[in-house]
Amino acid sequence: MSAQKIICVVGARPNFMKMAPILEAMAARPAQFAPLLVHTGQHYDERMSKTFFEELGLPRPDMDLGVGSGSHAQQTAKVMMAFEEVCLHHRPDRVLVVGDVNSTLAATLVATKMDIPVAHVEAGLRSRDMSMPEELNRLCTDAICDLLFTTDALADENLRAEGVAEERIKLVGNVMIDTLLKHRQLASQRRVLADLGIAAGEYAVLTLHRPATVDDPAVLEPLLRKLHVLAADLPIVFPIHPRTRARIDGFGLGDLLTGDGPVSGLYVTEPQGYLDFLCLTMNARLVLTDSGGLQEETTVLGVPCLTLRDNTERPITCSQGTNVLVGRDPELVATEFQRALHKGGGQTKVPPLWDGQAAPRIVEVLAG
Ligand code: UD1
């Protein structure tokens, strides 16, 4: 039998660390797999994309669709139009998508309509919050993919409850953790703490980018003001997502990002590369975030995580890991921040199969 031609699709920053170990596992079995890597170009800045390819050892994309930014409809439609051409030209045996970004859904719709089977890695996560674009992407992608690779048993239950046939669900573990465990040692040698002038265990890391957190000034402004106050107790490192910077500038709140780190306690930086960011999180006293993946990474690292959301599609990080949902109310955030500070290290149990071997398990299933 000839090698399977599998088109692997990435688009945005959180896709890159999920795809890297899968491509590596496929590369180890060249007789069985002939992967092609497509980058939709949803994220395109050097710091949001190229750096990750270099640090994670991702191969150069075979095709870059260059879709860039736009409204949800524009972005999804642009990926669909360009990806249809790719599928018509290459006629793959299968498409493989990861995560829950617009590129994930767009590629899945195109391939499924062309009768090309699609495998979804990180299937079955549900926040039950239909105002999140990612929740719509997850639901629609899972409904039409033929193979659903899951990270934990709760995701399997979600899929079963939606009527997904048992043979489509494959519990394989967490590919993002494959990448974390592989790079942990390398990350620990980075100089980012020294460059910022901060000490291990004596700062918090903050990330914000979700529309629900950053698109409404009535939510964002009081939160940022409170974070400034908290930074006086524990310095906060804030690598800022381009979307967040654009909103803060657009709302005329730019002065909330200025100030000298050693004096104000708030260290605003450009988006970090994978290794520097991992170095920052693994050495942090605590993490504040509205990200999805960071909830999982802090659970494995044993770093307390305060998630500035009302819900999570990753509840296992709360039941077994270090994650606490604190919402966006500045007073509640402050209370939990102080509580976490005084409680010390996070209690954590690493979920089953988050062991660095998820990608080889995926490839084993695909090999058939
Ligand atoms: C996307 C994903 C989100 C994921 C996040 C990680 C969707 C619906 N959202 O959100 O699930 O958690 O990526 O970052 O797919 N921008 C740049 N440079 C870039 C990319 C974006 O400046 O390289 C700016 C643009 O102004 C753009 C905005 O950021 O309009 C938002 O980018 P977009 O890809 O639409 O969504 P994210 O907020 O990054």
XYZ file of all heavy atoms in Angstrom, residues 12-14 42-45 48 69 72 75 100-102 133-134 137 209-210 241-243, ligand 1:
230
model
N -3.476 29.267 13.180
C -3.242 30.263 14.221
C -2.281 29.709 15.275
O -2.086 28.504 15.385
C -4.572 30.664 14.859
N -1.762 30.632 16.054
C -0.691 30.293 17.006
C -0.908 28.995 17.781
O 0.006 28.165 17.841
C -0.477 31.486 17.944
C 0.671 31.314 18.902
C 0.978 32.603 19.640
N -0.122 33.090 20.447
C -0.061 34.151 21.246
N 1.062 34.827 21.341
N -1.096 34.534 21.946
N -2.094 28.773 18.399
C -2.212 27.553 19.201
C -2.249 26.264 18.372
O -2.173 25.173 18.939
C -3.541 27.748 19.953
C -4.300 28.755 19.166
C -3.281 29.636 18.501
N -3.884 32.499 8.867
C -4.763 33.246 9.793
C -3.913 34.118 10.718
O -4.232 35.266 10.958
C -5.642 32.269 10.586
C -6.527 32.965 11.606
C -7.526 32.041 12.297
O -7.803 30.935 11.835
N -8.077 32.487 13.413
N -2.858 33.535 11.261
C -1.857 34.333 11.976
C -0.636 34.449 11.065
O -0.234 33.483 10.434
C -1.478 33.693 13.312
C -2.528 33.924 14.365
N -2.455 33.408 15.627
C -3.702 34.628 14.327
C -3.519 33.790 16.334
N -4.291 34.520 15.565
N -0.062 35.631 11.019
C 0.950 35.908 10.001
C 2.131 36.703 10.550
O 3.199 36.723 9.967
C 0.313 36.692 8.842
C -0.592 37.799 9.344
C -0.107 39.039 9.698
C -1.952 37.540 9.547
C -0.933 40.020 10.209
C -2.799 38.512 10.056
C -2.285 39.757 10.393
O -3.101 40.709 10.923
N 1.972 37.374 11.708
C 3.097 38.132 12.259
C 4.246 37.177 12.579
O 4.007 36.033 12.982
C 2.704 38.825 13.571
C 1.866 40.069 13.329
O 1.651 40.429 12.164
O 1.417 40.662 14.332
N 3.806 35.699 15.907
C 2.624 34.858 16.100
C 2.735 33.563 15.295
O 1.920 32.658 15.444
C 1.346 35.594 15.664
C 1.051 36.859 16.431
S 0.670 36.548 18.152
C -1.018 35.945 18.002
N -6.089 38.557 8.344
C -7.170 38.906 9.262
C -8.438 39.280 8.502
O -8.417 39.495 7.300
C -6.744 40.079 10.135
O -5.612 39.730 10.888
N -15.112 37.143 10.938
C -15.204 35.680 10.972
C -15.620 35.141 9.611
O -15.055 34.171 9.109
C -16.197 35.233 12.045
C -15.643 35.378 13.415
N -14.844 34.431 14.010
C -15.738 36.387 14.303
C -14.481 34.846 15.203
N -15.016 36.038 15.408
N -12.767 35.606 7.017
C -11.632 34.725 7.262
C -11.989 33.273 6.911
O -11.238 32.576 6.228
C -11.252 34.829 8.734
C -9.859 34.404 9.063
C -9.512 34.780 10.490
O -10.250 34.454 11.421
N -8.402 35.456 10.684
N -9.544 24.649 17.490
C -10.900 25.181 17.348
C -10.936 26.566 16.708
O -11.843 27.353 16.957
C -11.562 25.241 18.728
C -10.729 26.034 19.733
O -9.832 26.771 19.302
O -10.984 25.914 20.949
N -9.928 26.875 15.903
C -9.905 28.218 15.310
C -10.692 28.217 14.003
O -11.123 27.170 13.514
C -8.448 28.716 15.114
C -7.701 28.715 16.449
C -7.701 27.883 14.091
N -10.869 29.395 13.432
C -11.669 29.487 12.204
C -11.103 28.609 11.084
O -11.859 28.018 10.316
C -11.747 30.944 11.736
C -12.662 31.777 12.621
O -13.502 31.233 13.351
N -12.518 33.090 12.559
N -16.726 32.105 19.662
C -16.567 31.595 18.298
C -15.979 30.182 18.284
O -16.349 29.347 17.459
C -15.621 32.593 17.630
C -15.130 33.515 18.690
C -16.032 33.391 19.864
N -15.084 29.919 19.237
C -14.441 28.592 19.260
C -15.440 27.484 19.550
O -15.279 26.364 19.069
C -13.324 28.559 20.311
C -12.145 29.474 20.028
C -12.398 30.920 20.423
O -13.461 31.201 21.024
O -11.540 31.770 20.125
N -17.044 26.626 16.379
C -16.078 25.899 15.547
C -15.938 24.453 16.009
O -15.882 23.525 15.208
C -14.710 26.593 15.583
C -14.724 27.946 14.885
O -15.624 28.247 14.111
N -13.728 28.772 15.168
N -6.848 37.666 25.407
C -7.097 37.936 23.989
C -8.520 37.639 23.547
O -8.899 37.983 22.444
C -6.130 37.142 23.100
C -6.492 35.696 22.972
N -6.268 34.785 23.971
C -7.098 35.014 21.977
C -6.694 33.598 23.579
N -7.210 33.699 22.396
N -9.311 36.978 24.401
C -10.648 36.578 23.936
C -11.546 37.791 23.756
O -11.508 38.722 24.560
C -11.318 35.650 24.945
C -10.665 34.352 24.962
C -11.514 33.175 25.297
N -10.599 32.061 25.265
C -10.251 31.404 24.170
N -10.811 31.689 23.021
N -9.367 30.443 24.217
N -1.098 40.142 23.145
C -1.596 39.663 21.850
C -1.914 40.881 20.968
O -2.449 41.872 21.462
C -2.864 38.846 22.127
C -3.393 38.078 20.953
N -4.002 38.685 19.885
C -3.438 36.748 20.687
C -4.379 37.769 19.012
N -4.052 36.571 19.482
N -1.639 40.788 19.647
C -1.878 41.955 18.787
C -3.335 42.431 18.823
O -3.606 43.631 18.762
C -1.489 41.483 17.382
C -1.153 40.043 17.478
C -0.974 39.695 18.912
N -4.252 41.489 18.953
C -5.663 41.878 19.014
C -5.932 42.728 20.268
O -6.661 43.720 20.219
C -6.486 40.576 19.046
C -7.795 40.715 19.658
C -8.485 39.396 19.951
N -9.874 39.730 19.989
C -10.711 39.527 19.006
N -10.343 38.896 17.937
N -11.934 39.936 19.100
C -7.550 33.233 17.160
C -8.585 32.138 17.438
C -8.613 31.838 18.928
C -7.224 31.531 19.464
C -6.308 32.699 19.109
C -4.902 32.497 19.584
C -10.584 32.073 16.020
C -12.028 32.367 15.981
N -9.910 32.553 17.076
O -8.009 34.401 17.811
O -9.431 30.705 19.149
O -7.288 31.354 20.844
O -6.298 32.843 17.678
O -4.144 33.630 19.320
O -10.078 31.445 15.134
N -3.481 39.874 14.394
C -2.259 40.398 14.059
N -1.292 39.525 13.651
C -1.487 38.200 13.543
C -2.757 37.688 13.853
C -3.732 38.533 14.289
O -2.038 41.591 14.139
O -0.557 37.474 13.166
C -4.531 40.798 14.861
C -5.395 41.333 13.768
O -5.731 42.633 14.099
C -6.635 40.472 13.851
C -6.706 40.162 15.332
O -5.363 40.102 15.756
O -7.771 41.096 13.349
C -7.411 38.895 15.669
O -6.850 37.790 14.955
P -7.774 36.532 14.601
O -6.974 35.495 13.905
O -9.026 36.980 13.949
O -8.230 35.993 16.014
P -7.464 35.827 17.400
O -8.039 36.799 18.347
O -5.985 35.800 17.245
